[in-house]
Amino acid sequence: MGKAIRNHRHEVILATKFGIMRSLEDPNSRGVSGRPEYVKQACDQSLRRLGVDHIDLYYQHRVDLSVPIEETIGAMKDLVQAGKVRYLGMSEAKPETIRRAHAVHPITALQSEYSLWNRDPEEDILPMLRKLGIGFVAYSPLGRGFLTGQIKKFEDFSPDDYRRQSPRFQGENFNKNLDLVSRIEAMAKEKDCTPAQLAIAWLLARNDNIIPIPGTKRRDRLEENIGAFNVKLSQDDMVKIDEIMPLGAAVGERYPATGMALIYR
């Protein structure tokens, strides 16, 4: 990434995260740290690896319950004052934690999962962010690929695909969720767009402080995702989508138990 943006740094908003601890002994092991000394060490390491002198948006990837959020954000504030970071972000934090963090230093963005597949942020997160003037960056806006309509059976996942461990992709949950997606596919056909474009267009139409970040490895998928900007949804369309996939419609947890323990903290 550093090499790619080297001659275009002024054109790029560079965002990265800290907070997930990995183990060389066990690649599947994940820990969380919000210790002030780790925050600063992680930032310096990112700057070195990227070959840049500052990070535009620096996220706390997951909240560390063993460290008061004021201490973690305080260390991030120090990075802003040192010129190493411009803006601060958080990820998968709950409202009270965000309020406490925002009181230490303004939080620019919260990055959490949000899509037709997971509408949980609508209950208390999004209203609070609008009140505080914080942007929302929606990761997995395509429901980890499920909303594209390309996944038809469990066997479509490769043996090492992490989605095989997700409750939403297992057993009867898979079949029930597949039925929901089929309805989205039908509406996309009516709108002359792909299911992925419809899902992204829905997010864009929700509020102007919501920024979806679909992941892709292929140029044609990137171009497809960009095409979502050309999909215009009327109020009637939004009502229909709400009827097709209302809050809580998807069946099963979005992470295994270990992952669920790290969100909404």
Side-chain angles (χ1 to χ4, degrees):
M1 179 62 73
K3 292 178 181 178
I5 67 173
R6 185 163 298 159
N7 298 321
H8 306 276
R9 182 67 184 93
H10 66 288
E11 304 173 51
V12 173
I13 300 298
L14 179 63
T16 190
K17 304 175 184 175
F18 74 90
I20 299 294
M21 305 283 287
R22 299 174 185 267
S23 170
L24 293 176
E25 291 75 25
D26 181 5
N28 295 316
S29 175
R30 297 288 186 275
V32 174
S33 178
R35 292 179 292 106
E37 61 272 23
Y38 172 73
V39 173
K40 295 178 180 181
Q41 178 188 51
C43 179
D44 287 341
Q45 290 175 342
S46 287
L47 291 172
R48 186 178 67 254
R49 286 192 296 264
L50 289 164
V52 298
D53 62 2
H54 73 278
I55 295 165
D56 295 301
L57 177 57
Y58 200 41
Y59 288 104
Q60 180 185 20
H61 199 155
R62 291 290 187 271
V63 173
D64 183 352
L65 297 180
S66 69
V67 179
I69 194 63
E70 290 81 2
E71 293 185 16
T72 302
I73 300 301
M76 296 172 73
K77 178 180 178 180
D78 290 344
L79 293 173
V80 174
Q81 293 174 339
K84 296 180 179 181
V85 170
R86 295 181 65 200
Y87 303 103
L88 304 186
M90 302 177 74
S91 181
E92 293 287 4
K94 65 182 182 180
E96 181 55 30
T97 305
I98 298 168
R99 289 191 190 94
R100 288 168 54 195
H102 196 65
V104 176
H105 186 281
I107 301 300
T108 295
L110 175 74
Q111 182 181 139
S112 293
E113 185 172 354
Y114 184 39
S115 68
L116 286 168
W117 175 256
N118 175 58
R119 298 182 60 172
D120 294 347
E122 294 175 18
E123 297 186 272
D124 53 8
I125 292 290
L126 289 176
M128 184 209 64
L129 296 184
R130 284 192 285 270
K131 184 176 181 180
L132 295 178
I134 299 173
F136 187 90
V137 178
Y139 76 78
S140 292
L142 299 179
R144 305 187 186 280
F146 207 59
L147 294 173
T148 65
Q150 300 298 310
I151 302 169
K152 299 299 184 183
K153 58 185 183 301
F154 186 77
E155 290 71 25
D156 287 340
F157 301 128
S158 61
D160 60 347
D161 194 312
Y162 75 94
R163 289 173 291 185
R164 283 177 171 265
Q165 311 305 317
S166 171
R168 288 197 176 176
F169 291 109
Q170 297 177 352
E172 190 58 31
N173 290 351
F174 184 97
N175 296 325
K176 291 179 179 179
N177 291 328
L178 194 62
D179 181 58
L180 292 172
V181 174
S182 69
R183 301 177 201 176
I184 292 297
E185 289 182 276
M187 183 172 177
K189 187 174 182 179
E190 292 176 7
K191 297 292 294 182
D192 193 27
C193 65
T194 68
Q197 289 172 335
L198 181 65
I200 295 173
W202 175 81
L203 277 173
L204 294 170
R206 294 288 297 175
N207 195 283
D208 60 7
N209 78 324
I210 297 174
I211 310 298
I213 48 169
T216 184
K217 297 178 181 178
R218 292 165 44 186
R219 184 185 295 269
D220 59 335
R221 293 302 184 199
L222 174 62
E223 293 171 347
E224 177 186 349
N225 293 339
I226 293 173
F229 284 97
N230 299 320
V231 179
K232 306 304 178 184
L233 299 178
S234 66
Q235 189 57 43
D236 287 344
D237 290 331
M238 296 297 281
V239 170
K240 184 176 180 180
I241 292 173
D242 278 344
E243 293 172 348
I244 293 173
M245 229 175 199
L247 176 68
V251 183
E253 299 285 14
R254 54 191 173 108
Y255 286 109
T258 52
M260 292 300 294
L262 297 178
I263 64 175
Y264 202 72
R265 303 175 86 175

